[in-house]
Amino acid sequence: MNARKTRSGKSAYVMLLIGAVIGAVTFASIQSGKVISPAQAEKPAVAMPASNLEAPKLDMLRSLDEAFASIVDYASKAVVHIRTGGDRSQGLTSAMASGEGSGVIFRSDGYIVTNAHVVDSFDTVTVTLNDGRSFPGKVIKAEDIDIAVVKIQASDLPTVQFGNSDAVRPGQFAIAVGSPFGFENSTTIGHISAIGRESIVPDMRQGSARFYPDLIQTDASINMGNSGGPLLNVDGQVVGINTAIYSGTGGSVGIGFAIPSNQARMIADMLIEKGKVTRAYIGVRPVNLKEFQKKELGVEGGAVVDEIPNDGPASKAGLKQGDIIIQIGSMPIRTQQDLRNAMLRFEPKADVKVEYIRNGQRKSAQVVLGDPPKLEASVAPNRNPDFGSPNQGLPPNIEEFMRDFQPPQGERVPPSQGDRPVLGVGIETVGPTQRTQYGIPESVSGAVVTQVAPGSMAERLGLKVGDVIREFGGKPIKDAPSFVAEMQKVRPGDKKSIKFGSYKNNAVAEVTRDVQF
């Protein structure tokens, strides 16, 4: 979601990360775009303070200090501030439907990489460069992938090189550059905390959640507004696109996550070249091999088939749960992410050779890849629909989970006004106009959602414009007044169930959620 300032926030927020990896005393020269290499930067004059440190140690500290400053000077020229706005939900004002985030210039001819949730569903996207110039942006994105490209009409722009995220190791330095809380060109320094993290992050603008199978974790401080910015290494290369943080306060607590640069670069290239992302479906949920398994099997890596639906392409070709996939076509598979990325390289209906290990023996099968199954809106995609089991929902403790991972959007709507809880929606009684506008069947009655306030409890629940509230607290909702009457009975601390459905595009998806006021 768009990063944005917030006035208050005891509830937790998911924020988009801007982690930048830096770390060695030396800095490799990078020739990309029009950015001046840090090695070419003029060394500032520094007064020598009195110190008991030996001269060699002071020299080391100065070298490290200058390396950090040079990296930031080099990379920040290609980091942009993204503002979004417009009436993305009918009836909301432009002030409510707005947000902020970050991005990084990918190509000198005006292509910028950011998170999809930074620019999703907004009418206007404005990109402000480091030198102060602003441009309107055109968004190119794909469904269910949190990488988007924004194109601006500009040329000869400074860029930074995208590095090899497979080479990232825990303990390395990291630098985050972005616009936390709207403070442009902010820099924080930390480390790579871990790699290969899986996370489910609620995406309330989509009414579900995003599954991230392979995130880089960093302790570089990131906050709202850092979303979509780069995570840099000591060579000033982008190794990740900052995407989310874990927080119980709405601010950084030292646990942030970035999408690896290899994944981001591949998606960006596809979006620029084709204007979309095509993918195939193999029908397995892959997980990484553990270290002891690699040693026992004498392999460098592979993807273990953790789940495999009976009607999927892999199952039909003879693969079974527990098989270890090591190659698809000409692509070696070392991790579960390699398998997922392989599906982005193939089209549906492609006939590919899959090599795998079963009971220590190497085998192969011809698999005819399928079309990705479509997830029901009521099912949150905590497993990538291209590869996983599409019928798995969010964890049973989703309410607690959402309190810690909550994406910030706009100004936060208080959960109550005085002693009266607030859901944060505008509603109308379902009638002929609403049925036509939102595709609501004649058999469905209730209160249709016409507004969802950013940062509200309704948004956290996944309510979207056009959804119909059908039950509340176990009682049927016939029209807007009946829902208002039930809400007036609610007091802070009450726990209620709410049933709502979406009927757009001739689809029927209904979900019941519990909400704690």
Side-chain angles (χ1 to χ4, degrees):
M1 313 273 160
N2 291 345
R4 179 172 170 78
K5 300 176 186 176
T6 181
R7 280 189 254 238
S8 64
K10 293 185 178 178
S11 48
Y13 295 85
V14 169
M15 310 173 171
L16 305 166
L17 318 181
I18 280 200
V21 178
I22 62 168
V25 175
T26 59
F27 183 89
S29 173
I30 297 176
Q31 298 176 355
S32 178
K34 297 297 179 181
V35 176
I36 298 175
S37 168
Q40 299 171 323
E42 182 180 350
K43 184 175 181 179
V46 179
M48 276 286 293
S51 174
N52 293 327
L53 289 175
E54 298 175 4
K57 293 181 180 179
L58 285 172
D59 288 341
M60 290 176 62
L61 289 174
R62 289 195 198 97
S63 296
L64 181 61
D65 185 63
E66 184 173 343
F68 286 162
S70 296
I71 292 168
V72 174
D73 180 66
Y74 161 74
S76 62
K77 293 180 175 65
V79 179
V80 304
H81 185 192
I82 297 176
R83 291 183 176 88
T84 54
D87 189 7
R88 67 176 176 85
S89 292
Q90 199 176 53
L92 291 178
T93 67
S94 59
M96 294 179 70
S98 63
E100 295 178 325
S102 302
V104 58
I105 300 173
F106 184 62
R107 283 185 12 181
S108 61
D109 55 349
Y111 286 97
I112 293 156
V113 171
T114 186
N115 285 131
H117 68 252
V118 171
V119 293
D120 262 348
S121 306
F122 283 101
D123 294 331
T124 62
V125 173
T126 302
V127 175
T128 301
L129 304 182
N130 181 266
D131 63 11
R133 291 179 293 163
S134 293
F135 299 86
K138 177 183 178 181
V139 176
I140 312 170
K141 66 183 184 68
E143 295 298 323
D144 302 321
I145 294 177
D146 202 10
I147 291 293
V149 170
V150 178
K151 178 66 171 71
I152 63 174
Q153 295 303 313
S155 60
D156 202 30
L157 298 177
T159 66
V160 285
Q161 188 180 57
F162 274 56
N164 179 15
S165 54
D166 289 345
V168 169
R169 294 185 299 161
Q172 293 178 326
F173 281 107
I175 295 180
V177 185
S179 304
F181 298 108
F183 292 101
E184 299 180 24
N185 307 317
S186 295
T187 300
T188 55
I189 298 175
H191 301 83
I192 300 296
S193 304
I195 57 176
R197 293 296 199 203
E198 282 192 5
S199 283
I200 306 165
V201 178
D203 184 348
M204 297 313 158
R205 193 167 298 152
Q206 301 297 327
S208 57
R210 295 181 190 266
F211 172 56
Y212 299 86
D214 186 29
L215 293 172
I216 296 171
Q217 181 182 332
T218 179
D219 64 1
S221 180
I222 24 199
N223 291 282
M224 286 189 291
N226 281 136
S227 305
L231 186 68
L232 305 172
N233 65 12
V234 291
D235 293 323
Q237 298 170 329
V238 178
V239 293
I241 297 297
N242 301 308
T243 301
I245 67 171
Y246 183 92
S247 174
T249 65
S252 173
V253 295
I255 302 176
F257 304 97
I259 295 173
S261 58
N262 289 353
Q263 176 79 0
R265 176 172 48 199
M266 179 176 64
I267 297 301
D269 283 336
M270 288 183 178
L271 291 172
I272 293 170
E273 180 182 351
K274 302 179 181 179
K276 62 180 181 179
V277 172
T278 57
R279 62 179 80 183
Y281 171 67
I282 191 172
V284 303
R285 179 192 174 234
V287 295
N288 288 330
L289 275 171
K290 300 186 184 304
E291 289 301 319
F292 80 88
Q293 292 174 311
K294 295 179 185 178
K295 293 179 181 178
E296 288 180 352
L297 295 169
V299 296
E300 293 183 0
V304 182
V305 176
D306 187 52
E307 296 176 11
I308 180 167
N310 293 332
D311 59 350
S315 179
K316 290 178 180 178
L319 274 77
K320 298 180 179 179
Q321 186 178 23
D323 289 344
I324 302 166
I325 298 175
I326 55 176
Q327 187 159 322
I328 298 178
S330 61
M331 298 181 62
I333 305 300
R334 297 160 299 172
T335 66
Q336 54 87 16
Q337 188 62 53
D338 286 342
L339 188 150
R340 298 175 189 275
N341 289 344
M343 292 301 100
L344 296 170
R345 302 292 189 186
F346 294 103
E347 300 279 345
K349 307 299 189 265
D351 190 342
V352 298
K353 182 181 180 181
V354 177
E355 298 183 43
Y356 61 97
I357 297 174
R358 179 184 296 169
N359 299 326
Q361 296 184 341
R362 188 165 182 149
K363 297 177 178 291
S364 66
Q366 289 296 129
V367 178
V368 179
L369 302 176
D371 292 297
K374 294 187 181 299
L375 290 181
E376 300 233 354
S378 61
V379 179
N382 65 328
R383 303 299 183 203
N384 191 313
D386 287 357
F387 318 106
S389 192
N391 61 349
Q392 294 195 18
L394 290 171
N397 61 336
I398 184 61
E399 296 299 333
E400 179 180 352
F401 176 84
M402 284 187 172
R403 282 195 288 271
D404 289 330
F405 282 99
Q406 182 55 48
Q409 303 177 34
E411 299 295 335
R412 183 176 179 273
V413 175
S416 63
Q417 295 176 352
D419 62 349
R420 180 184 169 192
V422 173
L423 189 61
V425 295
I427 57 171
E428 295 176 358
T429 299
V430 173
T433 301
Q434 291 77 16
R435 293 188 194 281
T436 301
Q437 184 173 359
Y438 302 117
I440 303 170
E442 288 293 332
S443 60
V444 173
S445 61
V448 63
V449 176
T450 59
Q451 302 177 52
V452 179
S456 65
M457 188 174 293
E459 191 167 62
R460 294 197 292 275
L461 287 170
L463 281 160
K464 296 180 293 183
V465 170
D467 287 351
V468 179
I469 299 173
R470 305 198 63 190
E471 292 182 9
F472 184 75
K475 296 183 179 180
I477 300 300
K478 300 297 183 182
D479 48 28
S482 65
F483 180 67
V484 171
E486 291 300 323
M487 276 297 301
Q488 289 176 342
K489 301 175 185 177
V490 179
R491 294 293 178 267
D494 288 352
K495 185 175 183 179
K496 299 286 185 178
S497 64
I498 182 169
K499 179 180 179 180
F500 57 93
S502 176
Y503 309 95
K504 297 178 181 178
N505 302 319
N506 297 318
V508 177
E510 296 185 339
V511 62
T512 301
R513 295 253 175 92
D514 289 333
V515 54
Q516 182 81 47
F517 289 94

